[in-house]
């Protein structure tokens, strides 16, 4: 087989072969480069895709993609997660038919207990996420309703028209303003295993860059959640925004209507068949728009959380590459085509056929 | 003379608008080319201000793309205007001599006013249309050359009126009033009258000299201006070059479907938004992420909500704004830039540099470059385009002896024949190559029989013509040059030839001629002359010799001459001459036969009486004279034959051959005689002896119809035969003359002519008027979709050049009108081959690819935005930052398409010149067609799905924020479009490398900069993202998975159905090695097997 007779090579086209009879002037250096440029004869590499190249490329892709896919799949498999939807179960039976009334009523008890069974051992750190579904944190009205300048500069910054309708309350500016902060998630969780409560690390859950540069160290919440309509959590007015990590996490708006946000970390390993008691305060109103709430405990791998999609996709792409390589190889062996034979040009084809 | 105050300032202005206007022109241009640009501007500027709902992007971000489009367009238009102004300025500032205060003073052309008296010297161009008052000739004759107007190079006579010709304007004060018709474009008609000295004199076309004509043979002429500036007939004929749009661009506009697609996206989004709002109607008031109600004020009211209908409408408008990238505004600007780049390379091409006239190729129109790659018909002028318009005496056959021996560079002794007159050396202006043997024989006078015949032959050449010798000063003070002026360039060539052999015509009056024969001045009485007419096809002159013998010399076309030659005198000579004539004409030379007869006294007397009666007859003078001539011109003895070459331009036959191979039909449209046209057809290899000629010369509509029908039948028959025999040499050539075309064009016969012409391999149209040339171009343009190109050099080609899709002007020796009207101008006809086959091909390929690629890259980005919108409650949120979406078409992806559009070459010049059939890819619209467009769109859809959904699924139910995902999409899309481009680049030079990889790097830098601004929501996202393995794995996955389908399709197409370009590209790459392997195969492979 003569597939790989030619590989890519550098060549200067048109350089030494003047078509007309006035020869290309002998030039040097700069003027030669300019001449090559204007005559469009700059040295160029012109790769031509030969069967060898094509088959080789696809084969190589297969060889690389399948192992990467397998590794990714393995990484995803190694992650264990516990997902628990609690928004319905945590509503007392009497309010089952009118969940909104329950959640809006400040006097009803909001506390709730959940038991989580650990199926597989989980190694620390175990990440605690809350997951909201059907919550459009990327809704246009929502994402625009914030003022990044105010988050950094506090009350000193007053061009907060973007925060409407949550910019002023009772004539006073709100810090932090806008729908995003107003709707701050405020369910709380605490965990215990057996009788011993599990320590939750709630620090360093937000990006360091946000804490350092985006949220002011001297900016304290002001006039927050003081209106007639309470959206979500309240903020401790003695803590500067840069340390309000729940707010910082919340303000990094999620990409999709189903999203998880980090709540904290458990720095202890969980053993198989451990029963975890979750004590939670079911404060956040997702009932009014049909949203759901879930609690997620998950370990992590180098590839993030539990998601086998990439691994499968890689294996699929890799194996189809190899398949294509094989088909093309077969095609080439069965039905080879002379490459670069000018006899096949359309003007000449007639002569061949007759 | 009184001037007419009603006639406006004649200041010339060719350019369409003044340079100060360019800004507004730019704006207009933008809106011309894309209706949406204005609405978009309005939306961003005005509506967005009124309706905060629509403020999708910040002000700066939204204004940037449009501003850059307008800026570049304005700069380009300003440059074009400036260039046009410059050429106008040259024309406007030429000097004319105008009578002011009884003195002729210099005045700029643009300041010449109607009613002024101007004086023009010999060889000067007329600045405006003037009525002749007087000339240097006492009889008031002026000779003018009208080549700029109608392409005819012969001299025409114009007359001053009897009443004015003796007046000297500097001294006499003359006053009069000219009443003329309104300015019009008829160059052959003029009606006016002049009141002078109380008399009314009528003026006609013979009294007016039009702008652009050149005064010849007349020392000076004085005339009064009747039309100036834009009102001159030349300018009126020249005005309003229709603006041309490239075929590709028009096709591109047909992809209005893309706009349909765009509107569909917007409708889908707004409809879904409506449904979503409707479904959540009851929840919206306090919904955490919607909050319809505003509770902050006293009473609760809707915040930013104007009812469902308005919300749907707003979402439609917003989607228009968000998806605006789809609208090919950036495409228009890229196309403009690419065209400038392509024009630069065409101009700088050394292969299209005419060293003889030191002119480079000129790109006068900047928007039809790519049409050069799709030409199917070339309409060419003959004189000055195919030929150099310089006749040259080549061979002679004298009394059966062929003097076509080898020519020497040596022009006789001491650089040509010369004579001494009063101590001055007189020599002919043009040197002619001579045959040394003939030269030697011609010097030995009357010694032998053959030298006697040579004497008569050259005497005939020198005498039997209407040439006027004019003595002009040479650079050397002791030298004078004799310039032979006359209507026929053939006669000029013959007289120059006679002079070179020692028979120098020195003087001609109506009564006698003086010829210097080998240094001896001889005076001959011209007793009579029968001028050339198309029935006889010959002319004769009756000379009285010094020894009072009388001879008649006749010169004419071979067909008419052999009839009147007395063959009995010397049959061998006649046969030999016929053979020579055949061989001359077969190499494309124009032949003339010369005969002579001595007249006896009685014969002469008979003729003279008849001649005098005929020439004084009042009725039917021409017919009578012809009869007299026919009676005289018989029983001639054959002197010989001459062969003149209307020298073809260098490389014309090769060029025509290449064009023919490239499947381009070459039609020649000429004002010349049919015989000349056919002979040039042969010499330029347009016609071959194997072709069947269909000749249509008719004088009525009925006969035209009949001959067309006959011709159609013949051609059908022939084509059937051709198909059967597979021999394309037996093709059909159609030769048709202007008179027939008068009856055919603009009548129902057009259809038949078109059918016939499209069957013919070659079409030659002779004796066609300028407007007929345009009519023929229109004939093709109206009926086919094929691209037409017209090429010509004279003012008579202007209408054709403007009519054709592409007009090419030859910057010939005379006249610039053709160049002014053209889209491209060049020095030589043969440059048409590199222009079409090389540059045209490249331009087409590049532009076609660029358009497709631009659709792809814009649609890809918009689709990725669109998919995301489906996940945001249809609210037009973009995960990709607004700055990235603005910079996408300005920085991230703009440069490589332009650079590749200018620099990429699919094939080398050598391949394209070697295999002209490669040009067919443009004619077949292989690089841009509806199929390719839709295939690209399907690929775009796939790529957008991959680019969007792989990250979505990879990050599903994770804590990813929208800014990070937006960065991932930005990078993925930008990498994808650049890699897609990289995969299609054929020739990688360092410039293409740096532009493609450079813009990827630039994108990364921009994303990093945007993410380093704390005030943007996406602060630091890219850094957090780049630290995770998931990001890299998804990015690589996206890139590979998106490219696989198009790569696979490309591979299979290349393998199974390779196109010409693909084959030629492989050939280019493998040719050398293939030749080596073919020879070395046996030795190399045998030992292994």
């Amino acid at each position: 087989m003569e597939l790989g007779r030619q590989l890519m090579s550098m060549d200067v086209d048109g350089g030494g072969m003047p078509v007309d009879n006035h020869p290309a002037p002998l030039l040097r250096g700069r003027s030669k480069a300019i001449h090559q440029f204007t005559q469009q004869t700059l040295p160029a590499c012109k790769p031509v895709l030969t069967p060898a190249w094509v088959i080789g490329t696809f084969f190589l892709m297969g060889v690389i993609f399948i192992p990467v896919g397998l590794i990714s799949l393995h990484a995803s498999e190694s992650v264990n997660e516990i997902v628990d939807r609690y928004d319905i179960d945590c509503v007392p039976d009497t309010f089952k038919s009118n969940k909104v009334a329950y959640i809006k009523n400040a006097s009803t008890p909001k506390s709730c207990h959940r038991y989580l069974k650990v199926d597989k051992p989980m190694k620390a750190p175990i990440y605690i996420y809350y997951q909201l579904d059907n919550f459009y944190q990327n809704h246009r009205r929502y994402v625009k309703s914030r003022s990044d300048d105010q988050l950094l500069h506090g009350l000193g910054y007053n061009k907060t028209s973007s925060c409407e309708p949550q910019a002023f309350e009772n004539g006073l500016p709100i810090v932090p303003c806008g729908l995003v902060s107003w709707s701050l998630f405020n369910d709380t969780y605490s965990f215990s295993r057996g009788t011993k409560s599990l320590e939750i690390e709630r620090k360093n859950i937000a990006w360091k860059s946000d804490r350092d540069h985006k949220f002011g160290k001297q900016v304290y919440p002001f006039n927050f959640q003081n209106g007639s309509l309470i959206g979500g959590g309240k903020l401790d007015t003695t803590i500067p925004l840069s340390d309000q990590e729940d707010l910082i996490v919340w303000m990094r708006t999620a990409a999709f209507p189903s999203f998880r946000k980090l709540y904290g970390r458990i720095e202890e390993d969980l053993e198989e068949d451990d029963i975890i008691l979750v004590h939670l305060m079911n404060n956040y109103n997702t009932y009014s728009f049909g949203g759901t709430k879930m609690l997620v405990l998950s370990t992590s791998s180098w590839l993030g959380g539990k998601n086998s999609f990439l691994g499968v996709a890689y294996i699929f792409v890799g194996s189809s590459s190899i398949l294509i390589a094989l088909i093309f190889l077969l095609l080439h062996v069965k039905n080879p085509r002379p490459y670069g034979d000018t006899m096949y040009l359309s003007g000449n084809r007639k002569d061949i056929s007759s | 003379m009184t001037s007419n105050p009603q006639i406006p300032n004649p200041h010339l202005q060719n350019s369409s608008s003044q340079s100060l206007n360019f800004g507004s022109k730019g704006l207009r241009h933008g809106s011309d080319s894309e209706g949406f640009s204005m609405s978009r501007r309005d939306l961003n500027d005005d509506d967005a201000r009124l309706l905060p709902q629509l403020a999708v992007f910040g002000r700066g971000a939204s204004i940037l793309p449009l501003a850059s489009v307008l800026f570049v367009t304005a700069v380009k238009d300003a440059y074009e205007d400036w260039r046009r102004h410059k050429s106008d300025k040259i024309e406007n500032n030429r000097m004319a001599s105008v009578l002011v205060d009884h003195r002729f003073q210099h005045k700029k052309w643009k300041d010449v006013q109607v009613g002024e008296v101007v004086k023009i010297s010999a060889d000067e161009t007329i600045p405006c249309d003037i009525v002749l008052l007087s000339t240097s000739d006492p009889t008031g004759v002026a000779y003018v050359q009208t080549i700029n107007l109608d392409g005819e190079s012969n001299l025409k006579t114009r007359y001053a009126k009897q009443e004015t010709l003796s007046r000297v304007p500097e001294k006499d004060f003359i006053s009069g009033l000219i009443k003329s018709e309104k300015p019009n474009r008829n160059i052959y008609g003029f009606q006016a009258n002049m009141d002078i000295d109380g008399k009314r004199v009528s003026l006609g076309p013979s009294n007016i000299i039009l702008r652009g004509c050149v005064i010849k043979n007349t020392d000076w002429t004085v005339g009064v201006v009747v039309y100036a500036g834009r009102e001159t007939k030349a300018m009126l004929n020249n005005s309003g070059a229709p603006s041309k749009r490239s075929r590709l661009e028009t096709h591109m506009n047909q992809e209005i479907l893309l706009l349909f697609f765009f509107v569909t996206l917007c409708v889908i989004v707004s409809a879904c938004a409506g449904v979503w709002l409707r479904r959540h109607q009851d929840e919206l008031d306090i919904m955490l992420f919607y909050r319809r109600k505003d509770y902050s004020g006293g009473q609760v009211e809707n915040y930013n909500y104007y009812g469902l209908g308005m919300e749907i409408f707003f979402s439609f408008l917003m989607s228009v704004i968000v998806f605006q990238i789809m609208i090919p505004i950036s495409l228009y600007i890229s196309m403009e830039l690419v065209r400038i780049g392509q024009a630069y390379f065409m101009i700088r091409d050394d292969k299209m540099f005419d060293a003889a006239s030191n002119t480079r190729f000129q790109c006068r129109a900047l928007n039809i470059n790519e049409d050069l790659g799709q030409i199917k018909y070339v309409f060419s002028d003959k004189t000055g385009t195919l030929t150099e318009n310089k006749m040259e005496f080549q061979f002679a056959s004298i009394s059966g002896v062929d003097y076509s021996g080898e020519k020497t560079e040596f022009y006789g002794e001491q650089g040509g024949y010369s004579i001494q007159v009063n101590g001055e050396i007189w020599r002919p202006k043009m040197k002619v190559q001579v045959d040394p043997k003939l030269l030697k024989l011609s010097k030995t006078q009357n010694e032998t029989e053959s030298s006697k015949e040579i004497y008569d032959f050259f005497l005939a050449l020198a005498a039997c013509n209407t040439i006027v010798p004019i003595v002009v000063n040479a650079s050397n003070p002791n030298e004078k040059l004799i310039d032979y002026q006359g209507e026929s360039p053939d006669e000029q060539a013959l007289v120059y030839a006679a002079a070179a052999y020692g028979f120098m015509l020195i003087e001609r009056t109506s009564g006698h001629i003086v010829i210097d024969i080998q240094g001896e001045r001889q005076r001959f009485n011209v007793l009579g002359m029968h001028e050339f007419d198309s029935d006889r096809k010959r002319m004769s002159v009756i000379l009285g010799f010094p020894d009072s013998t009388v001879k008649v010399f006749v010169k004419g076309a071979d067909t008419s001459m052999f009839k009147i030659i007395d063959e009995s005198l010397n049959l061998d000579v006649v046969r030999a001459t016929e053979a020579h004539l055949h061989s001359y004409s077969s190499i494309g030379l124009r032949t003339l036969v010369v005969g002579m007869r001595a007249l006896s006294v009685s014969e002469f007397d008979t003729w003279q009486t008849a001649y005098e009666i005929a020439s004084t007859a009042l009725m039917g003078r021409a017919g009578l004279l012809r009869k007299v001539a026919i009676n005289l011109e018989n029983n001639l003895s054959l002197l010989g034959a001459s062969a003149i070459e209307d020298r073809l331009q260098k490389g014309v036959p090769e060029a025509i051959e290449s064009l023919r191979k490239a499947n381009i039909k070459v039609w020649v449209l000429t004002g010349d005689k049919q015989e000349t046209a056919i002979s040039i057809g042969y010499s330029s290899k347009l016609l071959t002896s194997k072709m069947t000629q269909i000749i249509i010369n008719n004088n009525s509509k009925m006969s035209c119809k009949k001959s067309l029908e006959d011709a159609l039948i013949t051609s059908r028959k022939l084509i059937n035969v051709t198909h059967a025999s597979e021999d394309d040499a037996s093709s059909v050539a159609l030769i048709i003359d202007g008179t027939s075309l008068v009856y055919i064009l603009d009548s129902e016969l057009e259809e038949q002519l078109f059918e016939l012409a499209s069957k013919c391999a070659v079409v030659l149209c002779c004796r066609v008027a300028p407007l007929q040339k345009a009519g023929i171009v229109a004939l093709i343009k109206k009926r086919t979709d094929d691209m037409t190109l017209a090429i010509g050099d004279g003012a008579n080609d202007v209408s054709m050049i403007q009519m054709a899709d592409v007009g090419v002007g030859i910057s010939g020796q005379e006249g610039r009108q053709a160049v002014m009207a053209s889209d491209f101008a060049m020095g030589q006809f043969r440059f048409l081959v590199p222009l079409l086959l090389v540059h045209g091909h490249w331009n087409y390929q590049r532009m076609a690819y660029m358009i497709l690629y631009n659709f792809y890259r814009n649609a890809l980005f918009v689709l990725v935005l669109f998919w995301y919108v489906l996940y945001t409650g249809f609210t037009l949120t973009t995960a990709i930052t607004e700055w990235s979406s603005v910079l996408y078409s300005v920085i991230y992806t703009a440069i490589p398409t332009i650079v590749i559009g200018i620099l990429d070459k699919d094939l080398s010049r050598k391949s394209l010149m070697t295999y002209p059939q490669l040009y067919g890819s443009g004619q077949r619209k292989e690089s841009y067609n509806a199929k390719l467009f839709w295939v690209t769109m399907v690929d775009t859809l796939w790529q957008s799905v991959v680019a969007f959904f792989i990250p979505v699924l990879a990050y599903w139910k994770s804590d990813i924020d929208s800014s990070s995902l937006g960065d991932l999409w930005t990078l993925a899309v930008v990498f994808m479009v650049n890699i897609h481009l990289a995969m299609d680049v054929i020739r990688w030079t360092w410039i293409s490398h740096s532009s493609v990889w450079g813009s990827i790097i630039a994108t990364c830098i921009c994303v990093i900069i945007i993410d380093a601004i704390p005030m943007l929501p996406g602060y630091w996202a890219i850094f957090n993202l780049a630290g995770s393995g998931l990001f890299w794995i998804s990015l690589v996955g996206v890139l590979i998975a998106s490219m696989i389908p198009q790569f696979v399709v490309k591979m299979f197409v290349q393998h199974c159905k390779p196109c010409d370009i693909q084959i030629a590209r492989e050939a280019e790459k493998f040719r050398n090695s293939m030749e080596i392997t073919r020879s070395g195969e046996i030795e190399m492979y045998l030992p292994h097997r």
Side-chain angles (χ1 to χ4, degrees), chain B residues 363-412:
Chain B
C363 247
R364 299 179 46 83
L366 275 181
N367 50 352
I368 53 170
N369 291 349
E370 59 272 20
D371 281 355
L372 293 172
Q374 293 183 286
I375 301 295
K376 270 240 173 104
Y377 289 90
V378 168
F379 299 94
S380 172
D381 178 37
K382 187 193 74 76
T383 317
T385 306
L386 295 178
T387 65
E388 285 185 337
N389 201 10
K390 282 182 195 156
M391 305 291 169
E392 207 165 272
F393 179 83
Q394 288 290 331
F395 307 137
S397 156
I398 304 172
S399 49
V401 183
D402 177 23
Y403 296 99
S404 57
E406 61 189 71
K407 294 277 166 155
T408 47
E409 282 305 313
F410 143 92
Y411 296 92

Side-chain angles (χ1 to χ4, degrees), chain B residues 49-109:
Chain B
R49 211 179 315 145
L50 296 173
L51 301 165
Q53 281 267 358
L54 296 186
V56 181
F57 297 153
R59 288 291 293 274
S62 60
I63 219 75
L64 192 74
L66 188 74
S68 62
V69 167
L70 288 182
F71 177 73
V72 174
T73 318
V75 167
K76 183 187 153 253
D77 284 353
Y79 171 72
E80 280 193 345
D81 255 20
W82 173 77
R83 235 177 30 163
R84 226 173 287 140
H85 258 270
K86 222 170 65 171
S87 72
D88 281 0
K89 212 167 158 185
I90 295 169
E91 194 83 352
N92 276 332
N93 290 340
R94 285 171 75 170
M95 286 304 195
S97 168
V98 178
L99 185 70
V100 183
D101 302 331
H102 307 290
R103 251 177 342 116
F104 281 105
Q105 291 180 347
H106 282 298
K107 210 169 172 185
K108 286 179 181 169
W109 275 28

Side-chain angles (χ1 to χ4, degrees), chain B residues 1-19:
Chain B
M1 288 272 146
T2 52
S3 91
N4 185 343
Q6 284 155 349
I7 294 181
N9 176 14
H11 182 90
L12 275 172
Q13 200 156 52
N14 285 327
S15 62
S16 51
S17 72
Q18 302 192 357
S19 19

Side-chain angles (χ1 to χ4, degrees), chain B residues 487-613:
Chain B
E487 288 193 11
S488 154
D490 296 72
E491 286 187 345
Q492 283 178 327
L494 291 176
V495 177
Y496 278 119
Y501 285 102
F503 294 75
M504 185 145 65
L505 178 69
I506 293 173
E507 196 184 328
R508 173 186 294 275
T509 65
S510 53
H512 70 273
I513 53 174
V514 176
I515 301 177
D516 181 290
I517 299 173
Q518 310 297 359
E520 191 184 325
R521 265 180 183 238
Q522 299 209 20
R523 185 188 157 110
F524 300 90
N525 290 321
V526 180
L527 301 171
M529 184 180 281
H530 292 287
E531 290 193 358
F532 181 88
D533 69 54
S534 49
D535 286 345
R536 279 158 55 231
K537 294 200 176 107
R538 56 183 179 255
M539 74 167 288
S540 53
V541 62
I542 295 96
L543 284 191
F545 277 63
D547 57 1
S548 65
T549 53
V550 177
K551 284 178 181 173
V552 57
F553 292 93
V554 189
K555 162 187 108 202
D558 46 3
T559 47
S560 75
M561 288 298 287
F562 279 115
K563 280 188 282 190
I564 54 168
I565 278 172
D566 186 359
E567 294 195 350
S568 59
L569 287 176
N570 198 338
L571 192 61
D572 292 344
V573 171
V574 175
R575 291 286 167 268
T577 310
E578 274 177 330
H580 296 152
L581 282 172
H582 184 75
S583 68
Y584 296 156
S585 60
S586 65
I587 53 172
L589 300 179
R590 301 147 70 96
T591 55
L592 285 172
V593 175
V594 184
M596 181 205 80
R597 180 159 67 101
L599 296 181
S600 65
V601 180
S602 63
E603 270 175 322
F604 174 69
D605 286 342
T606 334
W607 167 78
Q608 202 171 28
T609 16
Y611 181 70
E612 260 155 33
I613 292 166

Side-chain angles (χ1 to χ4, degrees), chain A residues 6-9 46-48, chain B residues 1065-1071:
Chain A
Q6 274 283 325
L7 295 180
M8 276 196 242
S9 63
K46 24 174 194 174
V48 168
Chain B
R1065 212 158 81 200
E1066 288 161 4
E1068 223 169 75
K1069 179 116 186 157
F1070 299 134
R1071 191 185 295 125

Side-chain angles (χ1 to χ4, degrees), chain B residues 195-220:
Chain B
D195 290 333
I196 186 161
D197 301 338
K199 266 199 285 181
R200 173 162 290 191
V201 187
S202 75
L203 301 170
S206 65
N207 305 114
I208 187 171
I209 308 180
L210 303 180
R211 178 193 156 101
C213 296
V214 180
I215 298 289
K216 297 275 182 185
N217 286 8
T218 315
D219 286 345
W220 53 263

Side-chain angles (χ1 to χ4, degrees), chain B residues 267-281:
Chain B
V267 167
I268 291 175
V269 169
S270 48
C272 291
V275 170
W276 192 89
L277 284 174
R278 174 103 201 123
R279 270 178 49 195
H280 296 84
Q281 184 74 12

Side-chain angles (χ1 to χ4, degrees), chain B residues 307-322:
Chain B
L308 188 60
M310 282 309 275
E311 288 300 307
I312 293 173
F313 178 62
F314 285 146
S315 4
F316 183 81
L317 291 186
M318 274 195 290
S319 52
V320 169
I321 297 173
V322 170

